Amino acid sequence: MSSQGKSIVAAGCATVLLTLVIAVFWYQDWQYSLPTPRPETLKQPALGMVMSVAEVLPGGTKYDRSRPLLLHFFNPGCPCSRFNLDHIRELTRAYGSRVNIVAVLEEDSTDKLIDGFRKTGLPIEAVVDSNRTLATALGVYSTPQAVILDTRGTLVYRGNYNSSRYCVDRRSEYARLALDALLGLRAQPSLEPAAFIAYGCRLPKPQTEALVARAAP
């Protein structure tokens, strides 16, 4: 084959490879721009319902019972969970002294979960929801999702962090708005329906172990 022919083949291969890469990125962008499919068996407790803390968190979890609780449902293997890490860091800096923030780790491998969480460097407590006990009790079926409980265990918010997957739209920082209202920093917001329509990754299937293990931050 002549050098000109080789150049044409190389250029063709590069074009095909570039097209495939673009197609993969487009598919992922399109996939996560759609609402997460609701499971047919989904049951969600209503906002305002009082949840037993013993049902929400496993024994041994460190938190101050005099403070509200933000549960951050997180999957290190989910691109959408990784997209909002900076936002979680911001919330931790802003509210960490007034609100318990606990990551609820969702994945099909406990080892992957613990390693993945530690790599984020998030300075918060974390629990591994091995059999989806917490997700099921709170009606969560996607990651990332926020669940906020007041000091009595009242469910005050369950939904998205932001209308933007990268959490860059401050006007729709739903979890932050809910926290501000709970702490008396602003009036109770009237959140748009988009706050409660879950976007992100489906939860992995439960592990066979009927156990919720604790992961140190």
Side-chain angles (χ1 to χ4, degrees), residues 146-168:
V147 171
I148 300 174
L149 304 171
D150 68 12
T151 55
R152 296 177 300 173
T154 305
L155 179 61
V156 298
Y157 180 74
R158 176 189 54 238
N160 299 313
Y161 283 94
N162 200 295
S163 62
S164 163
R165 77 180 63 180
Y166 296 101
C167 297
V168 294

Side-chain angles (χ1 to χ4, degrees), residues 41-42 75 78 118 122 126 128 141 173 180 185 195 200-201:
T41 58
L42 177 68
N75 181 345
C78 170
R118 286 174 177 165
L122 290 174
V128 178
Y141 58 96
E173 291 184 343
D180 281 348
L185 303 178
C201 303

Side-chain angles (χ1 to χ4, degrees), residues 24-214:
V24 169
F25 276 102
W26 176 86
Y27 175 76
Q28 286 195 340
D29 188 72
W30 170 79
Q31 178 184 16
Y32 295 121
S33 68
L34 300 175
T36 306
R38 290 171 62 94
E40 294 182 0
T41 58
L42 177 68
K43 294 182 180 179
Q44 293 183 307
L47 296 183
M49 182 174 178
V50 177
M51 310 294 296
S52 168
V53 175
E55 294 176 359
V56 173
L57 286 179
T61 305
K62 298 177 182 178
Y63 72 100
D64 185 344
R65 297 175 185 271
S66 67
R67 298 177 183 175
L69 175 64
L70 166 61
L71 295 175
H72 169 50
F73 284 80
F74 173 77
N75 181 345
C78 170
C80 298
S81 285
R82 297 194 297 269
F83 292 158
N84 87 331
L85 280 173
D86 286 342
H87 183 58
I88 299 303
R89 292 189 180 96
E90 289 180 5
L91 293 179
T92 301
R93 287 193 294 268
Y95 301 98
S97 63
R98 293 172 290 177
V99 176
N100 296 291
I101 303 178
V102 178
V104 181
L105 310 182
E106 305 285 351
E107 179 55 284
D108 56 2
S109 167
T110 299
D111 292 336
K112 288 182 182 179
L113 272 175
I114 296 173
D115 291 342
F117 176 72
R118 286 174 177 165
K119 289 177 182 177
T120 67
L122 290 174
I124 59 177
E125 184 78 5
V127 293
V128 178
D129 193 14
S130 301
N131 62 349
R132 311 296 169 259
T133 300
L134 304 184
T136 300
L138 294 166
V140 172
Y141 58 96
S142 179
T143 57
Q145 288 284 281
V147 171
I148 300 174
L149 304 171
D150 68 12
T151 55
R152 296 177 300 173
T154 305
L155 179 61
V156 298
Y157 180 74
R158 176 189 54 238
N160 299 313
Y161 283 94
N162 200 295
S163 62
S164 163
R165 77 180 63 180
Y166 296 101
C167 297
V168 294
D169 186 351
R170 292 193 66 84
R171 296 170 300 177
S172 63
E173 291 184 343
Y174 307 124
R176 184 194 292 273
L177 293 173
L179 284 173
D180 281 348
L182 183 59
L183 295 171
L185 303 178
R186 59 168 295 136
Q188 185 66 37
S190 178
L191 298 178
E192 58 188 348
F196 308 103
I197 301 174
Y199 285 81
C201 303
R202 298 187 189 190
L203 297 187
K205 292 182 179 180
Q207 294 185 33
T208 55
E209 299 90 350
L211 144 80
V212 176
R214 179 173 175 274

